[in-house]
């Protein structure tokens, strides 16, 4: 029975991984449909993470789901009722992102340490905190999202290996590489737009 349960978790990890890979590749291409694949991956991940007692990651995935819905609409219309462009974060947005990291870490660490049976409360909390800020920046279409998400990825890989979620650990390592590539690609898109603006001036 235990082996059958583990095989089901492994199958779900593979399925979630496929949707997760498609999501991040579409995000790298600046394609709005990344959110549809992301939502499916998130729902699968929530079930797998629940079985592995990674509760902060479940809360993080629920947040991902909400931010994916928000991001879908923001990418489509933005504040000006037209497609929001890729851009660098303002000083205010940088401060908000750092605030999200600190606030999320404190809340998650307290909740996990005091109110759950998690054996990795601080480790899980810091992964959650950086990803939380990164997803907010992604929804706002800010290039710095890749930096915050990659800090989370870097810390998450050994945590997933510790929890024996090897497929998700491999996915996260892959996401780290894609995020580096995504940052470079988004930077080129911003530069190309700037060049066109100067040329048209």
């Amino acid at each position: 029975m235990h082996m059958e349960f583990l095989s089901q978790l492994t199958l779900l990890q593979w399925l979630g991984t496929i949707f997760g890979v498609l999501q991040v590749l579409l995000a790298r291409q600046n394609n709005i449909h990344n959110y549809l694949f992301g939502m499916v991956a998130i729902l699968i991940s929530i079930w797998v993470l629940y079985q592995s007692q990674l509760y902060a990651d479940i809360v993080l995935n629920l947040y991902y789901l909400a931010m994916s819905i928000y991001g879908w609409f923001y990418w489509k219309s933005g504040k000006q009722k037209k497609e929001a462009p890729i851009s660098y974060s303002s000083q205010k947005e940088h401060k908000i992102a750092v605030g999200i990291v600190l606030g999320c870490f404190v809340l998650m660490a307290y909740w996990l340490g005091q109110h759950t049976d998690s054996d990795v409360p601080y480790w899980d909390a810091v992964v959650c905190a950086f990803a939380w800020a990164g997803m907010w920046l992604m929804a706002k279409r800010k290039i710095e999202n890749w930096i915050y998400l990659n800090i989370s990825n870097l810390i998450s890989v050994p945590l997933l290996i510790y929890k024996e979620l090897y497929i998700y650990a491999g996915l996260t390592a892959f996401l780290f590489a894609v995020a580096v590539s995504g940052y470079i690609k988004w930077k080129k898109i911003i530069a190309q737009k700037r060049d066109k603006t100067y040329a048209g001036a």
Side-chain angles (χ1 to χ4, degrees):
M1 188 72 179
H2 180 66
M3 288 302 296
E4 184 182 340
F5 176 72
L6 284 178
S7 67
Q8 286 176 351
L9 271 191
T10 301
L11 179 62
L12 283 171
Q13 281 185 72
W14 275 117
L15 196 58
T17 296
I18 291 167
F19 278 98
V21 167
L22 290 170
Q23 186 269 328
V24 77
L25 289 175
L26 286 168
R28 179 185 175 276
Q29 293 299 120
N30 195 29
N31 188 316
I32 191 172
H33 297 299
N34 81 84
Y35 285 112
L36 295 177
F37 290 92
M39 287 178 209
V40 176
I42 288 164
L43 292 171
I44 293 170
S45 294
I46 287 171
W47 173 249
V48 174
L49 293 166
Y50 176 75
Q51 300 301 323
S52 303
Q53 299 176 309
L54 289 173
Y55 304 117
D57 280 38
I58 293 171
V59 174
L60 175 62
N61 273 272
L62 289 171
Y63 170 74
Y64 276 173
L65 191 60
M67 291 308 290
S68 292
I69 295 167
Y70 170 77
W72 170 269
F73 286 108
Y74 187 86
W75 279 37
K76 280 180 76 70
S77 59
K79 288 184 178 178
Q80 293 79 34
K81 303 302 178 187
K82 62 182 180 181
E83 188 173 312
I86 294 171
S87 60
Y88 287 99
S89 297
S90 65
Q91 191 173 8
K92 180 183 176 182
E93 286 163 337
H94 276 300
K95 288 178 180 177
I96 291 173
V98 171
I100 290 172
V101 171
L102 296 175
C104 180
F105 174 76
V106 171
L107 288 172
M108 285 291 106
Y110 170 76
W111 175 61
L112 290 169
Q114 301 298 319
H115 299 288
T116 75
D117 58 353
S118 173
D119 59 340
V120 285
Y122 299 110
W123 200 351
D124 203 7
V126 75
V127 168
C128 181
F130 278 100
W132 201 295
M135 192 63 185
W136 178 74
L137 289 167
M138 169 71 85
K140 301 287 283 183
R141 225 167 194 168
K142 301 298 177 181
I143 191 172
E144 292 85 1
N145 85 84
W146 298 111
I147 297 171
Y148 281 85
L149 290 174
N150 250 359
I151 293 172
S152 177
N153 288 335
L154 199 61
I155 301 167
S156 182
V157 170
L159 173 60
L160 292 166
I161 291 172
Y162 173 74
K163 284 292 184 176
E164 298 182 359
L165 296 174
Y166 302 117
I167 298 168
Y168 272 7
L171 169 63
T172 304
F174 171 76
L175 295 180
F176 181 90
V178 173
V180 172
S181 173
Y183 179 86
I184 294 167
K185 185 173 182 65
W186 279 34
K187 195 171 182 179
K188 286 179 181 176
I189 291 171
I190 292 173
Q192 286 168 358
K193 185 184 176 186
R194 187 184 297 146
D195 291 343
K196 284 181 183 177
T197 302
Y198 287 147

